[in-house]
Amino acid sequence: MKNDMRVTLPLWQMAAIALLMVITITMGLATKVTNFTNDRLEFEITFGSYLGGIFACAMVAFLIFFVLFLINIQKHNKRFPDKKINTFTFKPQEYIEDDEWFDEMTKRATKKVYSYYSWTLPLLVGFSLGGFLGRTVILVGILLIAMGQYWIYYSTMRKMLKSAEEDE
C-alpha cells in the first residue's frame, strides 16, 4: 500500500490548493472593480513589479505541478492496473473500495470530513456576512476549508494504515 497513490492523493490535492491560494491572493490584490454600469461589471487587473512576478511564478509552478501530477497518475495506473485512478470523474478518488477493510476506512474518514464541513461552512458564512469580508478572503477561506478536508481524510487514512501495519 505504500506505493499506492490513492493513499497520498490528498497530499497532491493540498499542494494544488496551496498554489491556487497564492494565485487567488495575487489576483485579488491586482484586481480592482472600477464600475457597475448598465448591468455590466467592469474590472481592471494591474500587476505591480513584485506582484506580477509572484503571479507568474505561481502559474508556472502550477503548470509544472499539474504535469507532474498527471505523470504520477499514469505511473500509478501502469503499476496498479486493477487500482486505476481516473483523473476526470465525478466520483472522488478518496473512495477506496478494494475490500471491506478499505470500504470501512473510507467510511470513517469521510464521516470525519462530513462532521468538519458541518461546522466550518456555517462558520465561514457567518464570518463572511458579519465581517463584510472581500471576495478574495472568502475564496481563500473556501480553499483553506478544502485543504482541511484533505488533511483530515489523509491523516485518518494514514493512522488506520499504520495501525494495520503494526497489527501484521
Side-chain angles (χ1 to χ4, degrees), residues 63-106:
L63 290 173
I64 292 170
F65 173 85
F66 192 67
V67 168
L68 290 174
F69 178 66
L70 292 176
I71 289 169
N72 277 309
I73 287 177
Q74 284 180 333
K75 285 180 184 178
H76 169 86
N77 288 344
K78 283 181 184 176
R79 189 178 301 148
F80 300 104
D82 57 327
K83 300 174 182 176
K84 286 190 174 187
I85 294 174
N86 186 354
T87 311
F88 304 104
T89 181
F90 287 115
K91 181 182 174 187
Q93 297 301 320
E94 291 83 22
Y95 295 155
I96 303 174
E97 300 168 335
D98 291 346
D99 55 27
E100 285 183 33
W101 186 71
F102 271 108
D103 192 36
E104 183 61 29
M105 282 178 45
T106 299

